[in-house]
Amino acid sequence: MYILFEGIDTCGKSTQIELLAQKYPDIITTHEPGGTAFGQKAREILLSDSLRSKRAELLLFLADRAEHYEEVVAPNRDKIVISDRGFISGIGYALANGDFDFDELVALNRFALKGHFPDRIILFLTNMETLQERTSQKELDGIELRGLEYLLRVQEHMKESILKLGIPHLFIDATDSIENIHQSILTYLKV
Ligand SMILES: Nc1ncnc2c1ncn2[C@@H]1O[C@H](COP(=O)(O)OP(=O)(O)O)[C@@H](O)[C@H]1O
Ligand SMILES: Cc1cn([C@H]2C[C@H](O)[C@@H](COP(=O)(O)OP(=O)(O)O)O2)c(=O)[nH]c1=O
């Protein structure tokens, strides 16, 4: 089973994935961008936000996704693979960042994933207050420096995209406690 943990920066994805990985060592945990050797190189370029072309940025995230699918997801279809981010980030950040068309982005991501969209998506939904509080605790990367309003627009695009695509999902209140969120996820995944 291929599961995405999705949401904007600091919403709590990594914290929850770490809890699951500790409890269920057989779960394969990974992330985008940077889940492969190629992806690590792509991640450096992408997080520096140094590309002039928004299309170049999109295509580099798609190349990371294609390599990640080939190297990490496809060989483990018989296991539980949880990825910290995936194509919903791809669509959400691109829609908030430039004049891209939703259907075009879906087609490009379908191509990168060889038609294999995730089986489940868990989307963490945060708010401005929590976003301000948590981003103030960290050094922001180039994409995060586009601003908190940008990130909240990304979040809206993520939510709309999941609903439009009809992929089975769970929306999480990212402002809830770590333990409550953990229990909600265990119940949803029936683990
Ligand atoms: N439910 C929560 N309540 C309070 N703080 C949280 C919660 N989940 C995560 N955090 C804290 O918020 C910060 C970002 O969490 P993280 O899991 O790294 O988010 P993401 O992976 O989505 O960027 C970390 O300092 C983490 O300890
Ligand atoms: C996977 C992906 C991520 N991104 C962005 C989201 C993040 O700002 C950045 C990845 O940084 P990362 O540190 O992995 O995210 P987080 O801060 O949530 O731990 O790249 C895209 O713009 N498009 C994509 O397709």
Side-chain angles (χ1 to χ4, degrees), residues 9 13 43 47 61 65 85 89-90 93 138 143-144:
D9 312 68
K13 305 182 295 298
R43 182 184 171 94
L47 296 201
F61 273 117
R65 183 152 304 125
R85 293 190 183 281
S89 284
Y93 283 83
K138 66 175 282 191
I143 292 175
E144 289 160 335

Side-chain angles (χ1 to χ4, degrees), residues 38-171:
F38 162 76
Q40 279 296 339
K41 294 184 171 64
R43 182 184 171 94
E44 276 172 47
I45 298 167
L46 290 161
L47 296 201
S48 68
D49 198 19
S50 56
L51 295 171
R52 187 183 300 270
S53 161
K54 293 187 169 81
R55 288 170 184 250
E57 176 182 296
L58 171 65
L59 290 166
L60 191 49
F61 273 117
L62 286 165
D64 168 73
R65 183 152 304 125
E67 183 68 1
H68 182 247
Y69 179 78
E70 199 72 29
E71 191 173 314
V72 179
V73 181
N76 293 297
R77 293 298 286 179
D78 58 331
K79 301 184 182 73
I80 295 181
V81 176
I82 295 182
S83 185
D84 186 341
R85 293 190 183 281
F87 90 104
I88 292 296
S89 284
I91 292 176
Y93 283 83
L95 285 175
N97 188 33
D99 56 344
F100 295 113
D101 171 74
F102 172 77
D103 292 328
E104 191 176 55
L105 291 173
V106 172
L108 286 167
N109 278 281
R110 183 179 287 112
F111 175 82
L113 293 167
K114 292 183 159 180
H116 297 285
F117 283 138
D119 302 293
R120 299 273 188 286
I121 300 173
I122 296 178
L123 175 65
F124 293 65
L125 296 167
T126 188
N127 59 29
M128 179 57 89
E129 183 188 353
T130 303
L131 191 57
Q132 279 169 331
E133 180 193 318
R134 295 187 192 170
T135 51
S136 65
Q137 315 289 324
K138 66 175 282 191
E139 191 179 334
L140 302 183
D141 64 41
I143 292 175
E144 289 160 335
L145 285 169
R146 291 176 188 165
L148 304 188
E149 288 77 11
Y150 165 78
L151 293 179
L152 288 174
R153 281 204 314 279
V154 170
Q155 177 172 276
E156 274 315 298
H157 285 308
M158 287 176 160
K159 185 175 177 183
E160 285 162 15
S161 300
I162 292 169
L163 293 171
K164 267 188 197 171
L165 291 165
I167 295 176
H169 60 274
L170 172 69
F171 291 153

